Amino acid sequence: MEHKEILLIKNGELALKGLNRGTFEDILLKNIKRRLYGAGSFTLRKAQSTLYIEPREEGADLEEACDRLSRIFGISAYTRALAVDKSMEAILAATGDYLADELRNARTFKVEAKRSDKTFPLTSPAICAEVGGALLKQFPHLKVDVHQPQVQVTVEIRDFGAYIHAAQLPGAGGMPVGTGGRAALLISGGIDSPVAGYMMAKRGIELTAVHFASPPYTSERAEMKVLSLLEEVAAYAGPIETRLVPFTHIQEEIRRHCPEELFTLIMRRGMMRLADCIARREGCGALITGESVGQVASQTLPALACTGAVTSLPILRPLIGMDKEEIIAISRRIGTYETSIQPYEDCCTVFTPRHPRTRPRLEQVEAAESALDWETLTAEALEGVRNKTVIG
């Protein structure tokens, strides 16, 4: 076998899926192929709970490929590895040279061997002893530390060959997008909703985004901000079909006909009505929001009950028990925070009541909004929806 650098992918949670595992792995492979487009030409195959990604040509950018793989849900770990013949001669000749940079800059190391091909003549401890001895000769400054080594050298003996690599890097985890159905994400320009979308995509859900725009109260830059946030989420979630819904007339009608202390609650019920219509039209099985209990007046338990009463679709609220610092930590990690704090208002901040009702009763809210012609307002807004596809 010619020595060749490849990528090894561990798919973690998929190993628990029993008879459905093959289907889940096929979806993950499809996602990987789509995300690696433009980084080079690769051959992908699966065996023994591992996906093998082999460059077909010299120009393949493995650094870029690894960066993209790090954001694909369904991958628990990945690593660059050198594929060599299944012989100790080949393994000993290649290991030190392949990992020279890491080993020169380290003081301690250990060797770990994994022998899934039991026909290989040496046991795993024997492989470790031979490789470790060869590395100590090649790098005499090194010492063995089996507990906390600075470099872990791994030799895997598999059906197709032997693979040499250093420590694996953590992947994005979760389930491959497309294995959990589709849901509609209500997204504003704030910190919370992009994180909510990311968290549900991590459970394998494809996202359709619904954003409400209220020009002239909200600007074109506010809309561009939301599209930028969706691009950052799409780097993990894949392409996001986005529906931009005109909301100005509905908000003005609410201000004209409804009590001020219920403005926000009735506005959110209007959003849920429209999101419900779009979700059903798009084949979504649920709605996703960035709500967290008690964070604002419209997110008390009575308020959440009133908001959710207008839809029979499940409402997924992945942030519901998180505090703001926890949400911000995730937004920083996935790259949405700096965009979220840009000072462009969204429609949720338009006509904010001075003293919002925090313990509303549903019958009270329904009576207050009965002055509105929801059928006409909803049809008008749906007719004005603009469609965009956002790619990360």
Side-chain angles (χ1 to χ4, degrees):
M1 176 192 292
E2 179 185 353
H3 292 189
K4 189 174 188 179
E5 192 171 28
I6 69 168
L7 302 174
L8 297 179
I9 308 297
K10 304 291 185 181
N11 51 28
E13 193 174 341
L14 299 192
L16 307 176
K17 293 304 174 184
L19 295 176
N20 293 321
R21 176 173 161 183
T23 301
F24 282 57
E25 287 179 337
D26 288 341
I27 292 173
L28 176 58
L29 282 170
K30 182 189 74 172
N31 292 347
I32 291 172
K33 287 177 183 177
R34 176 178 52 77
R35 295 291 290 279
L36 290 183
Y37 180 79
S41 180
F42 297 90
T43 298
L44 281 70
R45 57 190 168 93
K46 56 181 180 178
Q48 301 170 308
S49 301
T50 300
L51 301 179
Y52 299 78
I53 302 178
E54 300 182 15
R56 291 179 184 162
E57 55 195 21
E58 288 293 325
D61 189 342
L62 290 184
E63 200 70 40
E64 176 65 20
C66 285
D67 183 60
R68 297 184 188 191
L69 289 171
S70 71
R71 294 192 292 271
I72 298 176
F73 291 129
I75 294 176
S76 64
Y78 64 96
T79 187
R80 293 169 71 156
L82 188 68
V84 303
D85 287 327
K86 277 196 291 186
S87 71
M88 285 309 300
E89 182 181 9
I91 292 168
L92 294 174
T95 302
D97 291 340
Y98 181 59
L99 300 176
D101 288 344
E102 290 95 326
L103 293 169
R104 284 196 193 99
N105 293 316
R107 295 188 305 276
T108 60
F109 80 109
K110 71 175 280 191
V111 179
E112 181 172 314
K114 299 177 181 179
R115 189 179 62 122
S116 59
D117 178 2
K118 302 305 181 186
T119 65
F120 193 75
L122 272 68
T123 63
S124 294
I127 295 169
C128 291
E130 287 212 24
V131 173
L135 292 177
L136 286 171
K137 288 181 181 178
Q138 188 174 352
F139 303 95
H141 70 283
L142 287 175
K143 292 186 177 180
V144 175
D145 182 345
V146 297
H147 300 294
Q148 291 183 314
Q150 291 179 312
V151 175
Q152 177 175 303
V153 176
T154 302
V155 178
E156 300 190 39
I157 310 296
R158 294 177 169 269
D159 291 346
F160 306 116
Y163 302 91
I164 301 160
H165 60 85
Q168 295 179 332
L169 298 172
M175 298 297 295
V177 172
T179 60
R182 178 179 287 273
L185 169 67
L186 283 74
I187 185 162
S188 67
I191 294 171
D192 302 336
S193 51
V195 173
Y198 161 86
M199 292 181 69
M200 296 318 303
K202 188 173 183 177
R203 299 313 306 157
I205 290 178
E206 288 185 80
L207 302 179
T208 291
V210 181
H211 174 66
F212 299 93
S214 295
Y217 306 107
T218 59
S219 66
E220 185 178 347
R221 288 194 171 188
E223 182 178 304
M224 292 170 62
K225 171 186 174 181
V226 168
L227 295 175
S228 294
L229 286 169
L230 287 172
E231 285 180 9
E232 287 153 359
V233 175
Y236 293 89
I240 301 175
E241 294 298 325
T242 303
R243 307 297 175 241
L244 303 168
V245 185
F247 204 60
T248 307
H249 188 204
I250 291 176
Q251 287 190 288
E252 290 177 337
E253 287 295 288
I254 291 171
R255 180 179 62 173
R256 188 174 296 120
H257 296 290
C258 300
E260 182 187 350
E261 67 270 17
L262 297 176
F263 278 0
T264 301
L265 195 56
I266 294 173
M267 175 195 72
R268 294 180 75 84
R269 281 168 60 88
M271 290 177 173
M272 295 296 266
R273 284 187 173 93
L274 287 163
D276 178 282
C277 293
I278 292 170
R280 294 179 191 278
R281 191 166 67 187
E282 302 285 340
C284 298
L287 304 178
I288 303 169
T289 73
E291 293 163 314
S292 171
V293 169
Q295 188 174 134
V296 293
S298 61
Q299 293 177 22
T300 63
L301 289 181
L304 291 172
C306 287
T307 302
V310 298
T311 178
S312 60
L313 287 174
I315 302 173
L316 307 179
R317 297 180 171 106
L319 313 186
I320 198 68
M322 299 176 70
D323 63 37
K324 200 66 177 183
E325 289 305 312
E326 292 172 308
I327 299 168
I328 288 173
I330 297 173
S331 72
R332 289 185 186 278
R333 177 161 53 82
I334 66 175
T336 57
Y337 179 75
E338 294 300 329
T339 304
S340 291
I341 62 174
Q342 291 176 6
Y344 303 120
E345 292 192 342
D346 58 49
C347 66
C348 295
T349 59
V350 176
F351 310 142
T352 302
R354 288 165 294 182
H355 304 290
R357 187 73 60 87
T358 58
R359 290 182 171 79
R361 296 195 309 275
L362 180 58
E363 62 273 15
Q364 180 185 48
V365 175
E366 290 175 336
E369 68 179 19
S370 65
L372 303 172
D373 182 356
W374 280 115
E375 185 175 349
T376 300
L377 290 171
T378 300
E380 178 189 83
L382 292 174
E383 190 173 334
V385 169
R386 291 175 291 125
N387 300 329
K388 288 184 180 292
T389 302
V390 178
I391 300 174

